[in-house]
Amino acid sequence: MPARGQGAERAAARRGAGPGGRHGRGVGSAVSDVEEGSERVLRSGRWFDGDGVRSFSHRARTRQLGFLPEEHAGKPVIAVVNTWSDINPCHQHLRERAEAVKRGVWQAGGFPLEFPVATLSETFQKPTPMLYRNLLAMETEELLRSYPVDGAVLLGGCDKTTPALLMGAASAGLPAIFVPAGPMLRGHWRGQTLGSGTDMWKYWDEKRAGRIGEREISELEAGLARSPGTCMTMGTASTMTSAAEALGITMPGAAAIPAVDSAHSRMAAAAGLRVVELVRTGTTPADILTRDAFEDAITTVLALGGSTNAVIHLIAMAGRCGITLTLEDFDRIARTVPVLADIRPGGRFLMEDFYYAGGLPGLLARLGDTHLHLDRPTVACRSLREQLAGALVHDDEVIRPLQRPVAEQGGLAVLRGNLAPDGAVIKHISAEPHLLQHTGRAVVFDDYPSMQQRINDPDLAITPDDVLVLRGSGPLGGPGMPEYGMLPIPDYLLKQGVTDMVRLSDARMSGTSYGACVLHIAPESHVGGPLALVNTGDTITLDVPARRLHLNVPDAELHRRRQAWQPPPPRYERGFGALYEEHITQADTGCDFTFLSRPGHVPEPHTS
């Protein structure tokens, strides 16, 4: 009889092999397993099978971990990639959800191993988690490539975590499913329903205007966010988890399940069950994340009235799959897709209402063949059409019918002009309509700290018709392109009842924010983009219907200013910041690293 770990384990490595799917190939992706004839050999078997000293060592160390051979030998090894952390309130329940995923993996005949990875807490991490999105993507990719795993379940949801995990998984090329963290429960204060983020900005402005005091703010602190989970508005977190569901990389209906609902645990267990089957069939992200899938994700974001941050993230995610998305793709689709979800900040309701109204399956079913590619596969079903069969909407106010949308066109527009030659974006559905065609005097701030110090200076004589301009806040200038784009309106104007102004920047803004904010101006000022040449007193024209953003200064004067402009010195002399500065791309191409986004072969590690 052969020794355990030799012939027996080699034979066991073939148990449960199903019909082979095609190997996925993302940017830098590895082969997920090896086919011999009609049988599929598990990738993890390269670590554990055979007679060599390395295989012997790997089996011995697995015994050191306390695992019996029968627990793992010949079973798909599933990495449970967990972004849980004590400092990330969006993910504070993911420790328990990882156990639910493991339960599902065990039930399906797999062997789960939990891997902690970096947590990107939108609430606490400075200067911005966007500085570290690519770091988490790189960590995820290299973790999956370097360990004996056959597939992965990715746990996350806070804004940058979703794109980072999916970018890394796409590049690694192993079978994967994403488990969204889910939105928190709705907030409450004095009989009012609160939406985290959106109502934070609203009531902070109320305090600045003198209409509420310290007692009210203290009560609001206790009522805005009252459970684990991501923001319950259609901020960046729910926008990106919804995009992931639309891409087909989650279990059906996963994005909107409240974080503390028992259905969330069941969904996590179902993901664990399903990923084992994906390994057995060889289904990888490349089979799911096609161009049609990304176009449907854009459609979904627009129909939701979602966050402008999705533009950057989806472009980067598609790039990892070898697919080129451009700003024009967003603008083209936006002109044909109605906004159906009446969710804050652009609407009235919250994610909990959206879930009980039918969630994303209900919204996608309403978009239907007219707007979606329904015959593409998902991780759960042979087609999106099959996945949406029987999906219903239970509240026509939360998820509107096509005949009665919140807005006739998607709530996002791409602008170009001499101020944004490579493009800029505006979420015009959340702006005051009278500002969408506007010319005003520029009031320029060179960076966010100086803006904070000067915004209330009466000597600036800011009026409601002026255009507030912030530069030095892009991918390099920020650094990391922080969410500074919703520039504060001066206190004295708030007290006069002014609630919106035109604001321009090379920054991003929170998906929970609102207002006539032009964002992602590219190229950014830090690299000499036209935003660097604006002076206070210049006039700027915003024309959203014409998709135009223009600095009303003669070309000769702009040329003179450009000749006088000096690039700022590098901010980082060493460390990750220096790596970031050397390789980050601009907003219109997704802010990925050049060495991660380019195509090229990455070898599988030698294991014997």
Side-chain angles (χ1 to χ4, degrees):
M1 182 174 182
R4 187 68 186 171
Q6 298 177 22
E9 285 202 6
R10 285 196 297 272
R14 294 172 173 82
R15 290 203 302 267
R22 66 179 175 88
H23 290 306
R25 296 291 192 277
V27 172
S29 65
V31 176
S32 61
D33 52 27
V34 179
E35 292 189 61
E36 294 181 352
S38 61
E39 292 186 316
R40 183 173 300 282
V41 178
L42 294 172
R43 177 179 182 271
S44 58
R46 292 169 39 219
W47 274 258
F48 297 115
D49 297 345
D51 303 323
V53 65
R54 293 298 180 190
S55 300
F56 165 67
S57 172
H58 297 150
R59 294 193 297 269
R61 293 301 188 177
T62 307
R63 306 300 170 263
Q64 179 187 10
L65 289 167
F67 295 119
L68 292 166
E70 292 77 9
E71 292 184 81
H72 74 88
K75 296 180 179 180
V77 179
I78 305 300
V80 183
V81 181
N82 197 350
T83 54
W84 172 88
S85 168
D86 273 332
I87 196 64
N88 194 335
C90 302
H91 295 179
Q92 69 182 100
H93 58 304
L94 292 187
R95 214 178 219 179
E96 291 75 27
R97 294 302 175 271
E99 294 305 313
V101 171
K102 292 178 188 178
R103 188 174 76 237
V105 172
W106 283 119
Q107 290 295 325
F111 180 66
L113 293 172
E114 187 173 352
F115 290 81
V117 292
T119 194
L120 305 182
S121 174
E122 198 67 34
T123 308
F124 294 105
Q125 192 170 30
K126 306 299 179 188
T128 167
M130 186 64 180
L131 187 67
Y132 302 104
R133 183 200 68 182
N134 299 340
L135 181 64
L136 175 56
M138 187 160 50
E139 181 183 15
T140 302
E141 175 183 350
E142 297 305 324
L143 181 151
L144 296 179
R145 181 174 288 115
S146 60
Y147 280 98
V149 298
D150 302 294
V153 178
L154 314 164
L155 278 68
C158 195
D159 297 14
K160 314 306 178 293
T161 308
T162 299
L165 291 173
L166 291 177
M167 288 162 69
S171 292
L174 301 183
I177 291 183
F178 178 66
V179 171
M184 68 179 87
L185 299 178
R186 59 172 71 90
H188 289 285
W189 177 66
R190 296 188 177 184
Q192 298 183 49
T193 299
L194 301 178
S196 62
T198 301
D199 281 315
M200 178 189 76
W201 310 117
K202 172 185 172 181
Y203 285 107
W204 188 252
D205 281 352
E206 289 289 290
K207 180 179 185 297
R208 291 171 58 217
R211 289 188 282 269
I212 62 174
E214 293 299 331
R215 177 174 178 176
E216 289 81 2
I217 284 294
S218 178
E219 293 173 3
L220 284 160
E221 286 179 7
L224 266 172
R226 62 187 189 90
S227 83
T230 59
C231 291
M232 71 300 251
T233 52
M234 189 50 69
T236 304
S238 285
T239 298
M240 291 311 303
T241 56
S242 297
E245 183 176 337
L247 285 167
I249 203 74
T250 76
M251 297 305 292
I257 303 172
V260 296
D261 195 299
S262 63
H264 198 267
S265 292
R266 298 194 296 272
M267 177 270 293
L273 279 161
R274 185 60 185 165
V275 75
V276 175
E277 183 62 19
L278 296 182
V279 171
R280 288 173 174 155
T281 59
T283 304
T284 71
D287 297 297
I288 307 301
L289 303 179
T290 62
R291 181 166 189 91
D292 284 350
F294 277 102
E295 290 200 355
D296 288 351
I298 294 173
T299 297
T300 300
V301 167
L302 295 166
L304 290 168
S307 168
T308 51
N309 288 305
V311 177
I312 293 173
H313 296 317
L314 286 173
I315 288 174
M317 291 161 64
R320 293 299 189 93
C321 301
I323 298 164
T324 300
L325 286 185
T326 67
L327 294 180
E328 279 64 40
D329 290 315
F330 285 84
D331 198 60
R332 169 179 56 84
I333 296 172
R335 294 174 186 269
T336 66
V337 176
V339 179
L340 299 185
D342 195 355
I343 305 175
R344 300 184 201 180
R348 296 174 290 165
F349 299 100
L350 296 171
M351 287 301 295
E352 198 173 344
D353 306 305
F354 182 65
Y355 173 63
Y356 293 118
L360 201 68
L363 181 135
L364 295 180
R366 286 201 159 164
L367 291 171
D369 278 302
T370 304
H371 297 286
L372 300 172
H373 303 88
L374 295 180
D375 295 319
R376 60 182 175 84
T378 71
V379 292
C381 296
R382 288 172 295 182
S383 70
L384 181 60
R385 187 184 306 278
E386 177 184 303
Q387 182 165 309
L388 297 178
L392 298 173
V393 173
H394 310 295
D395 189 329
D396 285 344
E397 291 302 308
V398 180
I399 304 174
R400 299 282 191 89
L402 285 170
Q403 299 78 17
R404 190 172 58 85
V406 176
E408 294 290 340
Q409 294 186 2
L412 183 146
V414 174
L415 309 172
R416 290 193 186 270
N418 70 345
L419 196 49
D422 291 340
V425 299
I426 182 171
K427 187 176 179 180
H428 55 85
I429 193 174
S430 65
E432 292 290 338
H434 73 278
L435 294 174
L436 300 183
Q437 289 180 293
H438 180 82
T439 297
R441 176 188 72 122
V443 179
V444 181
F445 303 97
D446 286 325
D447 54 54
Y448 195 74
S450 64
M451 183 276 299
Q452 289 179 303
Q453 294 171 5
R454 299 175 56 218
I455 191 68
N456 290 313
D457 184 351
D459 290 341
L460 291 177
I462 297 173
T463 74
D465 293 327
D466 288 338
V467 175
L468 303 181
V469 177
L470 174 67
R471 56 188 173 211
S473 301
L476 277 168
M481 209 178 176
E483 293 181 340
Y484 293 161
M486 186 180 167
L487 280 69
I489 295 170
D491 290 357
Y492 55 85
L493 292 182
L494 286 174
K495 291 175 181 177
Q496 295 171 23
V498 176
T499 58
D500 199 3
M501 293 177 65
V502 175
R503 290 158 275 183
L504 313 181
S505 73
D506 46 15
R508 298 175 300 109
M509 78 175 183
S510 168
T512 65
S513 300
Y514 48 85
C517 302
V518 178
L519 311 158
H520 312 180
I521 292 177
E524 64 173 308
S525 60
H526 198 84
V527 299
L531 197 65
L533 311 180
V534 183
N535 289 338
T536 294
D538 295 341
T539 63
I540 293 173
T541 296
L542 168 65
D543 188 340
V544 174
R547 301 301 197 259
R548 183 167 177 261
L549 183 65
H550 189 75
L551 175 62
N552 301 307
V553 172
D555 290 344
E557 172 61 15
L558 289 178
H559 178 74
R560 186 193 67 77
R561 294 181 190 179
R562 182 171 298 284
Q563 293 300 110
W565 180 79
Q566 295 292 321
R571 181 176 278 104
Y572 295 97
E573 295 184 354
R574 60 165 303 280
F576 176 74
L579 178 73
Y580 177 94
E581 286 187 339
E582 290 173 11
H583 295 285
I584 195 67
T585 63
Q586 287 291 295
D588 60 303
T589 54
C591 296
D592 202 357
F593 286 159
T594 54
F595 66 89
L596 293 177
S597 58
R598 68 187 178 217
H601 173 67
V602 179
E604 276 280 88
H606 182 69
T607 59
S608 61

